[in-house]
Amino acid sequence: IHWYQQKANKTPERMVFYGSGAKVVDDGFQAYRYTVENFSQQKLCILTMNKIVPDDTATYYCAYWHSHSHNCSIIAKTSFTVIGYYHKVFGSGTKLIVSEKGNSPPASTEILQKKHKNLITYVCLIEKFYPEVIRVTWTDGEKEVTENVVKGDTWKPTDGDKYSVGSWLTVPAENKDKTYHCRYEHESEQKSLQTKGMHSIRLFCLTLVTDHILHRTAYLVYIVLLLKSSMYYLIVLFFIYR
């Protein structure tokens, strides 16, 4: 079993290798901070990290080499030999956030609705929570709905430090009287919303457009200031060398 650490905007780095009952910690990582437990019968491997610090904020992956074998043929109907090959299989990852901010439950939640031709789209909007890790699922009251569900990436407004997320469910228009539930699980709380009393989806679109415009405006202002600073630097250099 291999364990990897991937920090934001960086490539994954292997931290620990565990095999044949022995733990090997790669260079750059402190061996005393990591404990590995392996339960072969349950096919379970647990990595424990000690003395967590903010620099440990990252996504952690486990991985292993999976072997295959197949028959190769040189020409039709002529069996050659059995060749084994391997590829590395990664887990889905666990995101660890180390922060002194604690956690904050969503400040507001709602389900928005938009009908188009013979389809209805529900948007579950969850706003202003921290940290950004959240799980959003849809159910029809009995079981989880996975078809025609899209979860957007979490986003953070340019003027805040809390996150928001949206999840879309599209159903046939004939299901308009059926109640669907949007459930979110955050470390601060768990809650379920149902498709009743929805607001107009235009409010949601306006929020996204406004935030996008603000982001673009801030970016353009930054570019203008950078250009002005560069021009000032060149003018000063010109007079110094003159």
Side-chain angles (χ1 to χ4, degrees), residues 33-241:
R33 296 185 56 208
Y34 307 104
T35 302
V36 180
E37 299 174 274
N38 186 43
F39 304 91
S40 299
Q41 293 183 348
Q42 292 90 352
K43 295 184 178 180
L44 181 67
C45 186
I46 299 175
L47 172 68
T48 302
M49 298 173 55
N50 303 300
K51 298 184 178 181
I52 295 296
V53 296
D55 191 53
D56 292 317
T57 295
T59 301
Y60 294 84
Y61 298 91
C62 60
Y64 75 102
W65 287 105
H66 183 65
S67 63
H68 290 269
S69 61
H70 65 283
N71 291 324
C72 292
S73 298
I74 298 178
I75 57 176
K77 298 182 181 181
T78 302
S79 179
F80 180 52
T81 184
V82 176
I83 296 178
Y85 65 95
Y86 294 82
H87 71 275
K88 185 167 280 191
V89 180
F90 283 80
S92 56
T94 298
K95 191 167 187 176
L96 173 66
I97 298 171
V98 185
S99 171
E100 297 178 352
K101 296 180 182 178
N103 59 54
S104 302
S108 63
T109 57
E110 60 181 330
I111 294 182
L112 312 170
Q113 172 184 310
K114 179 66 176 180
K115 185 177 180 180
H116 179 67
K117 295 183 179 180
N118 59 341
L119 296 174
I120 298 176
T121 298
Y122 298 107
V123 179
C124 183
L125 181 60
I126 305 164
E127 295 184 292
K128 297 181 180 179
F129 54 86
Y130 186 87
E132 66 265 36
V133 179
I134 192 168
R135 183 171 184 261
V136 183
T137 55
W138 289 88
T139 68
D140 59 6
E142 298 178 358
K143 62 182 184 301
E144 183 177 347
V145 179
T146 56
E147 292 186 1
N148 301 315
V149 172
V150 177
K151 180 190 173 186
D153 295 329
T154 56
W155 76 86
K156 182 173 66 171
T158 54
D159 59 347
D161 60 353
K162 294 184 179 180
Y163 295 83
S164 300
V165 71
S167 180
W168 290 258
L169 168 65
T170 302
V171 298
E174 57 261 30
N175 291 1
K176 63 180 180 179
D177 295 326
K178 191 171 184 178
T179 300
Y180 294 92
H181 299 262
C182 172
R183 175 178 173 80
Y184 68 82
E185 299 173 66
H186 187 256
E187 65 177 73
S188 62
E189 68 175 14
Q190 299 180 9
K191 191 175 180 181
S192 181
L193 311 173
Q194 62 182 20
T195 53
K196 283 187 178 180
M198 287 75 63
H199 298 347
S200 169
I201 200 169
R202 293 177 183 174
L203 296 176
F204 176 71
C205 293
L206 180 60
T207 301
L208 287 181
V209 170
T210 303
D211 185 67
H212 177 72
I213 292 173
L214 289 174
H215 178 77
R216 294 292 298 172
T217 302
Y219 177 76
L220 290 174
V221 170
Y222 171 77
I223 293 297
V224 170
L225 291 175
L226 185 62
L227 290 173
K228 289 179 66 177
S229 177
S230 299
M231 289 298 297
Y232 176 77
Y233 177 74
L234 291 174
I235 292 172
V236 171
L237 282 181
F238 173 77
F239 282 104
I240 288 176
Y241 284 100

